[in-house]
Amino acid sequence: MTPHAPLILDVAGTSLEAADRRRLRHPLTGGVILFSRNWQNRAQLLALCADIKAVRPDALICVDHEGGRVQRFRTDGFTHLPPMKALGELWMKDAMAATRAATACGYVLAAELRACGVDFSFTPVLDLDHGESGVIGDRAFHRDPRVAALLAKSLMHGLLQAGMGNCGKHFPGHGFVKADSHTDIPVDRRSLKAILADDAMPYDWLSTSLTSVMPAHVIYPRVDARPAGFSSRWLNDILRGTLGFGGAIFSDDLSMAGARRIDGREVSYTEAGVAALQAGCDLVLLCNQSLEGGGAVDELLDGLAQAQIAGHWQANGASEQRRLDLLPTAPAPGWEPLMTSAAYLRALDQLP
């Protein structure tokens, strides 16, 4: 059977427990997503990441670390990065200074994470700032898709300089709807033509620069009745076909309300995971479910394994290669060497 480890899961605390180790060894586990509860200080984070790699050397260690209010590690030397809206505001005053600052943000973000053993951050946000979405808000660079795309590309350049991939989110755009897909199922009633000409434009322009994409748990009923992350039309026909994207596709968190209702009915974690994989996702995330015993994580691991045996989804060697391609290819400097490196000090000076 072709190997394919599509599940990105979380761990309960600041060090691995026996259950975490067991889940990491499962052949369907491809990575770990960390949260603020997994953080005490840099030494502890470095030890946790090393322990994860000792159990599963090919695990992709991820985090949501964008800057602004979405930054999981904020103490013990981590730089407080601005929300991406600050870069958009700088653009309106000095476009070239804004692109330089965006590259500096990307470099500092990635270099600090990698010095602590983290491989990957789910950034940049490509959603446009329509002024409607509270959950997106200042996480977006700008209302203009051209500005958002150019600032994102500059940020991605900084990530790349530090040896980190990127993740454009939330395809084809979450900024137009007010509802928060963590708790509701947002609906965007615009036409495909309108979305492709506005919110989805950054994905077109950056299709050869993005290494991964995360679709939105938003329904666009004039395109498909399913949320984008469970829609083959959005993922295969439009993102891969029309826009030519060839990187990895992550589902958004399967525990979110927007992920747990498909075709008008409540679904289990396993049903949601299988639906995402069938629709064209390479990797699926289940977040914040390892707490209190982690029954949901075990349910999904067992359920995906049984569904694979039953033929409901097929292991995909191309998907596995896309996951492996997100792992850093060169070693990162440790924290102390990083703090005195010319590139890092220059980037700090260029932050907005």
Side-chain angles (χ1 to χ4, degrees), residues 54-329:
V55 177
R56 191 65 180 267
D58 68 333
L60 181 70
I61 302 177
C62 313
V63 68
D64 275 322
H65 203 82
E66 303 166 6
R69 57 194 158 102
V70 182
Q71 181 173 335
R72 303 303 185 206
F73 315 137
R74 296 171 174 271
T75 55
D76 200 13
F78 267 90
T79 301
H80 286 217
L81 296 166
M84 295 302 97
K85 185 173 184 177
L87 295 168
E89 291 170 343
L90 180 57
W91 173 282
M92 302 308 293
K93 302 172 185 174
D94 186 337
M96 298 313 295
T99 59
R100 182 178 64 186
T103 300
C105 282
Y107 181 79
V108 170
L109 185 160
E112 291 181 352
L113 288 176
R114 291 207 58 212
C116 293
V118 179
D119 298 319
F120 186 79
S121 176
F122 291 106
T123 188
V125 170
L126 297 180
D127 300 314
L128 303 184
D129 183 10
H130 288 270
E132 295 291 326
S133 173
V135 71
I136 302 301
D138 65 1
R139 296 166 67 193
F141 289 102
H142 205 272
R143 169 63 184 88
D144 188 328
R146 298 169 299 176
V147 177
L150 286 170
L151 288 174
K153 190 165 189 176
S154 296
L155 183 102
M156 287 153 52
H157 185 202
L159 297 174
L160 180 63
Q161 286 177 326
M164 184 177 284
N166 57 68
C167 183
K169 61 186 187 184
H170 306 81
F171 175 79
H174 199 309
F176 189 77
V177 290
K178 289 184 180 180
D180 178 354
S181 55
H182 291 83
T183 54
D184 295 299
I185 305 172
V187 178
D188 185 335
R189 301 190 182 279
R190 292 176 298 168
S191 67
L192 176 60
K193 182 178 179 181
I195 295 167
L196 289 179
D198 195 7
D199 292 61
M201 283 305 302
Y203 295 91
D204 187 4
W205 291 323
L206 300 175
S207 62
T208 57
S209 303
L210 288 164
T211 56
S212 69
V213 163
M214 180 180 287
H217 287 327
V218 175
I219 296 174
Y220 308 84
R222 295 178 65 181
V223 182
D224 196 333
R226 287 188 163 199
F230 303 101
S231 165
S232 181
R233 175 119 196 257
W234 275 116
L235 302 185
N236 289 318
D237 298 349
I238 299 171
L239 181 58
R240 293 216 186 276
T242 304
L243 304 183
F245 174 68
I249 301 176
F250 288 89
S251 80
D252 205 343
D253 176 14
L254 296 182
S255 70
M256 290 163 59
R260 299 294 304 286
R261 191 168 186 84
I262 304 174
D263 298 334
R265 68 182 185 90
E266 293 288 331
V267 299
S268 67
Y269 292 121
T270 297
E271 288 175 302
V274 169
L277 291 167
Q278 288 176 336
C281 287
D282 302 296
L283 298 151
V284 294
L285 274 81
L286 185 65
C287 301
N288 296 313
Q289 299 303 310
S290 66
L291 304 171
E292 299 177 5
V297 185
D298 292 328
E299 174 194 321
L300 181 57
L301 282 167
D302 294 343
L304 281 182
Q306 292 167 10
Q308 185 182 22
I309 292 168
H312 297 312
W313 70 278
Q314 293 184 335
N316 187 322
S319 289
E320 179 66 3
Q321 189 58 53
R322 292 184 189 116
R323 180 185 76 85
L324 295 173
D325 287 345
L326 296 175
L327 289 164
T329 56

